[in-house]
Amino acid sequence: MQALLILLQDTVAQDSLMTMQEEATTFFDLLVEGGILMIPIFLLFGIACYVIAERWLAVNRSHVDPDKFLPTIENMLKSGKGGASNAMSYCDEFDKPISRIIKAGIKRLGRPIRDIEDAIDNAGKKEIFFLEKRMNWLATIAGVAPLLGFTGTVTGMIEAFMDIQSLQGNVNPSALAGGIWEALITTAAGLIVGLIAYGFYNFLLGKINRSIFELENASADFLDLLQSPAKKDQN
């Protein structure tokens, strides 16, 4: 009796293993059955993953705490002769958006404040452009991937109905159902890729907007820093 139980357990374990292998194979077969339009959908998924990773790292690397950066710049500028050169060298050490913007303003020191503001604005526009770089790719993928999926489903349905017509309606319902769910695979894949791209697009856009807000505040604080001595003299 005990030997029989052991034999049954081994049989159940083998059946379970075979079932898992069949499920894995079936999942791969599902992707293959989606048709040729699965290829561009997978390519879009790869591009989306690249943009998400690249932009995430770029935004995280661009952050500098302005509460620590600006006071150091202020002390250097007020230190006397050579303060501007030291401040620009300090900005070069960081090589971040905020340091490049501030450096553009320091280069214009001695000119009217309007010229300094223009230099900071131009540098800020460049940094915002680089922060938002490739974000339009994610937005495009979020819209194109589902459309590719729907296209694959429509073409698959057309083929299924063409088969029905060629067989004059004498079609096995199970075979027809198989053709339909195969056509729906591209829709599912396209929607998944589109959802991933759209979700991370909004997530990254929020991080970029926060970075832009910090840059704008830091630029305004730097301009106030430059004008503060003049205000004190007037009082």
Side-chain angles (χ1 to χ4, degrees):
M1 184 66 180
Q2 188 174 4
L4 180 60
L5 289 174
I6 295 174
L7 180 61
L8 288 174
Q9 290 176 354
D10 291 340
T11 303
V12 171
Q14 291 176 359
D15 291 342
S16 300
L17 181 60
M18 291 178 63
T19 301
M20 292 175 62
Q21 292 175 346
E22 289 176 357
E23 288 178 353
T25 304
T26 302
F27 177 74
F28 178 76
D29 290 341
L30 281 175
L31 300 180
V32 173
E33 291 293 340
I36 193 171
L37 283 176
M38 290 295 290
I39 296 175
I41 291 175
F42 272 118
L43 288 175
L44 291 178
F45 178 68
I47 295 172
C49 290
Y50 165 75
V51 174
I52 290 167
E54 189 270 338
R55 282 295 88 194
W56 197 332
L57 292 174
V59 174
N60 288 338
R61 286 197 302 262
S62 67
H63 179 71
V64 172
D65 187 1
D67 294 333
K68 295 180 180 179
F69 179 78
L70 287 178
T72 304
I73 294 293
E74 181 179 8
N75 292 332
M76 289 181 175
L77 292 178
K78 292 181 178 180
S79 63
K81 187 177 180 180
S85 299
N86 293 333
M88 285 191 288
S89 298
Y90 182 70
C91 291
D92 291 334
E93 292 178 5
F94 281 88
D95 194 27
K96 306 283 186 178
I98 185 174
S99 64
R100 290 190 286 268
I101 292 173
I102 299 303
K103 182 180 178 180
I106 295 174
K107 287 181 177 179
R108 296 290 184 92
L109 288 180
R111 299 186 184 183
I113 192 65
R114 184 61 187 171
D115 291 345
I116 299 175
E117 289 179 357
D118 290 340
I120 290 175
D121 287 341
N122 292 332
K125 291 176 182 178
K126 292 179 182 178
E127 297 302 330
I128 291 173
F129 172 79
F130 286 120
L131 283 174
E132 295 177 343
K133 189 177 179 181
R134 298 191 184 94
M135 287 299 293
N136 60 323
W137 292 14
L138 277 184
T140 302
I141 292 171
V144 171
L147 292 178
L148 280 174
F150 291 138
T151 302
T153 297
V154 170
T155 55
M157 296 292 290
I158 291 173
E159 291 178 1
F161 284 111
M162 287 175 66
D163 291 338
I164 294 174
Q165 183 181 16
S166 64
L167 296 173
Q168 298 180 352
N170 297 321
V171 182
N172 187 341
S174 62
L176 179 61
I180 292 174
W181 66 254
E182 288 175 5
L184 292 172
I185 293 173
T186 53
T187 295
L191 287 173
I192 291 171
V193 174
L195 286 171
I196 292 172
Y198 184 71
F200 276 100
Y201 171 80
N202 286 300
F203 172 73
L204 292 173
L205 194 62
K207 292 176 70 68
I208 290 171
N209 287 336
R210 284 193 294 272
S211 297
I212 293 173
F213 178 75
E214 291 178 357
L215 292 177
E216 290 175 346
N217 278 346
S219 300
D221 291 341
F222 177 70
L223 289 172
D224 289 340
L225 179 156
L226 296 180
Q227 298 180 77
S228 58
K231 292 179 181 178
K232 289 180 181 178
D233 293 342
Q234 289 176 358
N235 291 333

